[in-house]
Amino acid sequence: LIVNVVGTNDRPVINAVDNLTLKEDSGEYTKTGSVSATDIDLPEGKSLSYSLVEHPTDRLVQTEQLSGKYGYLELDQSTGTYTYHLDNTKIQHLGSGETIVEIFTVRVTDNLGAYSDRALTVTIQGTDDKPSISSASSTMTEDTALVKGEIKVTDTDTSDTLHSVSPIQTPTSSYHDSDGHTHAVLNGTYGELDLDTHTGSYVYKLTTSDVQYLNEGQSLRENFPITLTTGNSTGSSSIVGGIAITI
């Protein structure tokens, strides 16, 4: 009795793929990992090859560099070592506690063309960016009793909202309006500022009798320093600015 055993080519086995994690504004915008694979029937002197797989709608492409939405991945096709390069400018919309994930497909191929695929994930963690004040000023004439304004805030983190606007100087008084917002009343040199610390809106009441000495073309300036805080449920940040009133 003769039994002939005919071998078949086995696929490579991917044992492990290093998933990567990077963080916004960390200063470290590249991370390196590797694919670990074996092939039980790989002939001596032959080696496995590694590639990244892109799946467009009409074709299959194997490459050593692949662009993602927030960066790109480079792969050494002979060793399976890879490096992800993060474009930090593309993730500034992330806030504290937020993450996004890039997914790439790694392919390991043997000398006869048999292959195995495995997903590689790159997790990008957000951080809280400081807000900026785009507008916080009002102008009035010497005979105007009051002027209304609102602090305009910009924040690259799309999940952040205005938390508070706090005066740096000690208020002369405070109260709560019908919406439950706290107002701080601040004395200035030429008038009084009523600041809604919840929304950043304000009313400046000028003591007109104190500025009647101004001639045409002359002006005065009041400044009320503030601390402005924005953030989301997991983190916040603050900047110092000021409300400027020009008379």
Side-chain angles (χ1 to χ4, degrees), residues 14 35 49-56 59-68 73-75 77 103-109 115-120:
I14 299 177
V35 184
S49 63
Y50 303 83
S51 58
L52 300 171
V53 180
E54 183 179 13
H55 296 280
R59 64 194 180 112
L60 176 66
V61 178
Q62 291 180 251
T63 181
E64 62 183 8
Q65 181 172 310
L66 196 59
S67 294
L73 189 70
E74 285 185 311
L75 173 72
Q77 293 184 300
I103 299 177
F104 300 90
T105 299
V106 179
R107 173 164 294 181
V108 182
T109 306
Y115 63 86
S116 295
D117 292 345
R118 179 75 69 87
L120 157 66

Side-chain angles (χ1 to χ4, degrees), residues 127 162 173 184 196 218 241:
T127 59
L162 179 63
S173 63
D196 185 330
Q218 292 182 314

Side-chain angles (χ1 to χ4, degrees), residues 28 66 79 82 94 103 108 110 145 168 173 200 211 214 219 231:
E28 184 181 9
L66 196 59
T79 66
Y82 48 82
L94 289 177
I103 299 177
V108 182
D110 69 12
I168 292 178
S173 63
V211 295
L214 288 175
S219 64

Side-chain angles (χ1 to χ4, degrees), residues 158-181:
T158 55
S159 66
D160 283 2
T161 58
L162 179 63
H163 283 191
S164 64
V165 181
S166 305
I168 292 178
Q169 76 179 72
T170 302
T172 56
S173 63
S174 62
Y175 66 94
H176 292 86
D177 63 20
S178 58
D179 294 322
H181 298 175

